[in-house]
Amino acid sequence: ELKVEQNPLFLSMQEGKNYTIYCNYSTTSDRLYWYRQDPGKSLESLFVLLSNGAVKQEGRLMASLDTKARLSTLHITAAVHDLSATYFCAVRAGTYKYIFGTGTRLKVLA
Amino acid sequence: KAGVTQTPRYLIKTRGQQVTLSCSPISGHRSVSWYQQTPGQGLQFLFEYFSETQRNKGNFPGRFSGRQFSNSRSEMNVSTLELGDSALYLCASSLTGDPSRPLRNEQFFGPGTRLTVL
């Protein structure tokens, strides 16, 4: 069955720094999603990536997809405290079914 | 436009009991998926419904079941509760869930129901 791995699991970074979260998946899939979850809250959709080479950007976050490498990245530029949250990637694993990554808990320190 | 709503938000049950959770999708959305979120296992897919039909299910025991009504509202039921069923249960709705139309397939999540089994 499709497996989705994220790394790192935990990330503590200083404000103003850049970092990248990686999402690897084990079998072919045609789309990938990124979500954000704040403590005690639900998931908020960030990006939908539909094709090889797709790149989406929103504010300080940029997501990309390489379907050949089965890899997506979520790049954080000049982190700010408000970006502290847990980030999940999710991959379509067959009809009407999605597999989520383990999540990356990001803490941005002032 | 109102978002996905889930009731109740918090629930405490004891082992052996059963529980029913409810999810009302965004108006016009016809696909509802359910997920279980735990610290140890992360987010795991339970099942997906569209037009009152279950179209896919995850690897959960038969104690976990669901249904969808004609107005797209969905319920999930867990019978004979176990301690390990303690989790945040999330539902997500999308317009069609049609994989050939990914932008209409985007899932919007509800706030979740926090179930504690004692």
Side-chain angles (χ1 to χ4, degrees):
Chain A
E1 186 177 80
L2 174 69
K3 293 192 185 302
V4 182
E5 293 184 348
Q6 285 181 238
N7 68 81
L9 297 182
F10 300 97
L11 177 56
S12 180
M13 57 192 296
Q14 296 289 329
E15 276 193 331
K17 298 292 187 183
N18 304 333
Y19 210 84
T20 300
I21 298 170
Y22 298 88
C23 173
N24 288 89
Y25 50 100
S26 60
T27 61
T28 302
S29 182
D30 61 355
R31 67 205 58 175
L32 188 140
Y33 301 81
W34 283 96
Y35 294 89
R36 168 183 172 145
Q37 186 177 37
D38 292 292
K41 301 289 181 62
S42 189
L43 276 74
E44 172 191 353
S45 177
L46 294 174
F47 301 108
V48 180
L49 301 169
L50 301 175
S51 60
N52 187 44
V55 177
K56 294 277 186 75
Q57 182 163 6
E58 180 74 34
R60 301 175 187 273
L61 300 177
M62 183 174 71
S64 65
L65 179 61
D66 181 343
T67 57
K68 295 178 182 176
R70 297 176 191 160
L71 170 68
S72 179
T73 62
L74 180 66
H75 186 73
I76 302 155
T77 301
V80 292
H81 180 71
D82 285 351
L83 290 179
S84 297
T86 300
Y87 293 86
F88 292 93
C89 61
V91 178
R92 193 168 78 95
T95 312
Y96 321 122
K97 180 177 178 179
Y98 296 85
I99 303 298
F100 279 75
T102 46
T104 296
R105 186 181 297 178
L106 170 66
K107 185 171 184 179
V108 181
L109 305 172
Chain B
K1 196 173 188 181
V4 179
T5 59
Q6 292 185 246
T7 57
R9 294 292 312 278
Y10 303 91
L11 205 48
I12 299 175
K13 292 285 189 180
T14 56
R15 280 181 298 175
Q17 288 187 308
Q18 74 164 17
V19 67
T20 299
L21 312 181
S22 180
C23 172
S24 292
I26 292 171
S27 178
H29 284 196
R30 297 174 63 191
S31 168
V32 174
S33 298
W34 287 90
Y35 295 86
Q36 182 196 64
Q37 185 175 27
T38 59
Q41 299 297 319
L43 268 156
Q44 293 186 285
F45 172 78
L46 280 156
F47 26 66
E48 188 266 358
Y49 286 88
F50 179 82
S51 290
E52 303 178 64
T53 300
Q54 185 184 94
R55 299 194 293 188
N56 208 334
K57 63 178 296 187
N59 298 323
F60 278 81
R63 300 185 297 107
F64 292 81
S65 63
R67 59 178 176 169
Q68 186 181 36
F69 301 94
S70 58
N71 62 356
S72 296
R73 189 177 70 85
S74 178
E75 289 181 348
M76 66 163 283
N77 185 78
V78 188
S79 63
T80 319
L81 283 166
E82 300 177 1
L83 295 179
D85 297 333
S86 294
L88 179 67
Y89 290 88
L90 294 164
C91 85
S93 76
S94 64
L95 274 168
T96 65
D98 181 352
S100 69
R101 307 180 74 178
L103 293 182
R104 293 172 68 83
N105 192 18
E106 185 179 356
Q107 295 186 57
F108 295 85
F109 283 80
T113 294
R114 173 78 59 185
L115 172 65
T116 301
V117 182
L118 302 176

